[in-house]
Amino acid sequence: MEIKTNVNKKHKEESNPSLGYYPEPGWEWQKPEPKTYLVENGLAKYARSWILNLVELVHWLPFIPAFILSFLIFQHSSALKLLLGTDVQVFLVLISPLILTFGGLTGIMMHEYEGWQVVYFQNPLDSDLNIKDCNNEWLREVAYKLLFFLQGAGLLAFSLGVFGINKITLTFAIVSGIIAFLGPQNPKATFTLNKQPVFPLAITILVVFIINALVNFVAYFHLFAPVLETVQQPKLLAVSAPFLFMLGGMIEGLLAESTFNQWWHFTAVIFLNLGMIVQIYLFNLLW
């Protein structure tokens, strides 16, 4: 039985399923030309191929320190178990950086679709979107939802690893997961910055994320402050890693996505990489 659609036959015949947005033959370093919005607003100079390749590179780099950190935790699991208490807690701390890093793939997927250009976002649900002109707002909203859900899961894993699993922490984890996953996608926390709408994230997910981020700050301080005091370093360094993560996320979500200057995009992910490196340093103090 033939399935009828609203797409006419001509469009279906002319559509090429193999057609891509990137220049032929599609080597990874080949990036699309600056989008129309960037050209018309004098921002194309920030979207040269070599700049976009740098932006892409720093997005993939966090996988290296994430795997290094997870291996170090695995290698010193016995010492960490003495500090935390159980194998389950060690496991949760071990997978935390992996969840956080692989959660970032949602953003990488969006950037790959966009040609690694942060540009004005247009919603295809109420307009004729042309990917060569601007970016897909609905895709951004979906990416934000999955990104913050997975980032929240990574933060939660670390906090559970530090504080252990009991009635309070388990209830907190279950409630956080249910609200973040099943909560309504509207209303969103969107507001205007530099005359551009930013932060298209459901308020339910945002509230859960903020609470988990605060708990995560406490967990970092609880785990690392004593050892920092032992080596005569400021105890505030204990929360430097999550602070760098937060700073990087804010720069990307607020500045990069409102100014469309790709260097802000690059800078944001540099802070994320620095956060991963600081994590490795802090954990090495525990062994």
Side-chain angles (χ1 to χ4, degrees), residues 128-203:
D128 294 325
L129 172 70
N130 187 336
I131 192 62
K132 295 181 180 180
D133 296 335
C134 52
N135 284 348
N136 189 325
E137 171 60 31
W138 174 238
L139 176 63
R140 177 169 70 152
E141 293 179 18
V142 173
Y144 261 66
K145 175 186 176 181
L146 297 177
L147 175 65
F148 276 83
F149 178 78
L150 291 171
Q151 295 295 299
L155 298 179
L156 183 59
F158 183 89
S159 300
L160 289 175
V162 172
F163 296 126
I165 299 177
N166 52 54
K167 290 182 179 179
I168 296 176
T169 58
L170 185 59
T171 301
F172 174 74
I174 293 173
V175 172
S176 294
I178 291 176
I179 294 176
F181 188 74
L182 297 179
Q185 296 193 37
N186 289 302
K188 289 185 169 59
T190 307
F191 62 95
T192 300
L193 181 65
N194 294 320
K195 299 181 180 180
Q196 300 295 333
V198 294
F199 223 67
L201 180 69
I203 290 178

Side-chain angles (χ1 to χ4, degrees), residues 64-77:
I64 298 174
F67 279 110
I68 291 174
L69 177 57
S70 294
F71 175 75
L72 288 173
I73 294 173
F74 170 77
Q75 191 177 38
H76 298 88
S77 57

